[in-house]
Amino acid sequence: MDFRHEWKHEISLGDVQYLRSRLSAVMCIDSYAQNGSYTVNSLYFDTPDNRALREKINGISRREKFRLRYYNSDTSVVLLEKKLKTGGLCAKLQTELTLEDTLALVHGKYKVFERNSPPLLLELYQKMAMHGLRPRTIVQYTREPFVYAPGNVRVTLDYHIRTGTISNEFLNPDCCTIPIPNNPAVLEVKWDSFLPSIIKDLVQNPGTRTAAFSKYAACRIYG
């Protein structure tokens, strides 16, 4: 598993416009973006005692989160992802799900383990059975992604962050969601072994501050 460095900055919507202009002058827009952006739809899992949320709030350096994710309105491809954090490093494991497995997870069900199931899905099923892990919150936002080959750098601008508490509506792109308070945006910077100085300079902005901002934690404000 390859870990990458990660910075997160909470910014304003005005900062998004400023940074978009700077980043687009040097970096390439990710090929997955349509007209420069795409919508991210995620469904996060947590335990009955909110272990993932508590570990984030308490600043636990080693932690993990499970989520389902699809992009724009395309529910034909749903990914199961496990996000791992250790200090300032992060890694992600993912596998594509069948419709049957996706529906089971959306409704918080686990089933008899199948030998041919992907290992990541088996791990989630085990934690659902042993620790009560269940879907808790829908997180939806717009993302503008930029890439830079040296250092394998990826910079994203995330905004219009919305949340939904009806988990079984996750596969409905038009499900009811509401904006989180204060309308923040997030600048994320990820890289491998080194961050080129030109990118480091580009993302500097007097209005930003390095912060342990979590879209999942912010979206749990309503339950």
Side-chain angles (χ1 to χ4, degrees):
M1 187 187 311
D2 295 325
F3 279 82
R4 285 161 55 81
H5 298 269
E6 180 181 65
W7 283 352
K8 286 189 179 182
H9 304 260
E10 183 178 344
I11 60 176
S12 68
L13 291 179
D15 295 328
V16 169
Q17 298 181 26
Y18 170 77
L19 289 166
R20 179 191 298 129
S21 176
R22 289 168 61 88
L23 295 170
S24 60
V26 175
M27 305 182 72
C28 297
I29 297 175
D30 191 299
S31 59
Y32 289 104
Q34 301 176 2
N35 297 319
S37 67
Y38 52 77
T39 301
V40 181
N41 304 276
S42 300
L43 176 62
Y44 283 82
F45 290 71
D46 212 335
T47 60
D49 63 348
N50 298 311
R51 177 177 178 178
L53 179 61
R54 288 187 293 103
E55 288 183 344
K56 175 60 182 179
I57 293 174
N58 295 333
I60 304 300
S61 61
R62 296 179 63 90
R63 58 186 186 272
E64 67 180 33
K65 288 198 296 281
F66 284 89
R67 67 192 179 202
L68 302 182
R69 175 165 287 185
Y70 66 90
Y71 298 94
N72 294 320
S73 299
D74 185 8
T75 57
S76 66
V77 178
V78 179
L79 300 172
L80 167 62
E81 298 183 340
K82 177 183 178 182
K83 183 76 177 288
L84 299 103
K85 292 276 290 186
T86 175
L89 300 175
C90 67
K92 182 172 67 176
L93 299 174
Q94 66 179 22
T95 188
E96 187 174 336
L97 297 178
T98 65
L99 177 59
E100 179 185 6
D101 286 327
T102 299
L103 289 172
L105 293 175
V106 166
H107 291 281
K109 299 177 181 179
Y110 59 91
K111 58 184 180 181
V112 177
F113 305 144
E114 300 176 356
R115 290 186 209 172
N116 60 349
S117 293
L120 188 59
L121 180 57
L122 291 179
E123 180 183 351
L124 177 56
Y125 278 150
Q126 290 168 349
K127 291 180 178 178
M128 292 176 73
M130 297 174 62
H131 305 299
L133 209 61
R134 292 292 187 276
R136 294 301 299 268
T137 300
I138 294 173
V139 177
Q140 186 183 83
Y141 54 91
T142 299
R143 165 165 284 179
E144 295 185 26
F146 299 85
V147 293
Y148 190 73
N152 190 24
V153 181
R154 182 176 174 83
V155 178
T156 56
L157 303 172
D158 298 339
Y159 51 91
H160 295 162
I161 306 171
R162 302 175 65 88
T163 181
T165 58
I166 306 176
S167 299
N168 58 16
E169 287 289 305
F170 171 63
L171 292 176
N172 175 10
D174 298 318
C175 69
C176 180
T177 59
I178 55 177
I180 63 174
N182 303 319
N183 202 22
V186 182
L187 164 69
E188 295 189 7
V189 185
K190 297 185 179 71
W191 70 96
D192 287 348
S193 59
F194 73 99
L195 179 63
S197 58
I198 187 172
I199 304 300
K200 188 174 182 179
D201 291 341
L202 279 176
V203 298
Q204 298 304 312
N205 179 22
T208 66
R209 60 185 180 88
T210 302
F213 186 88
S214 166
K215 289 186 282 290
Y216 169 64
C219 287
R220 283 296 307 275
I221 189 170
Y222 298 113

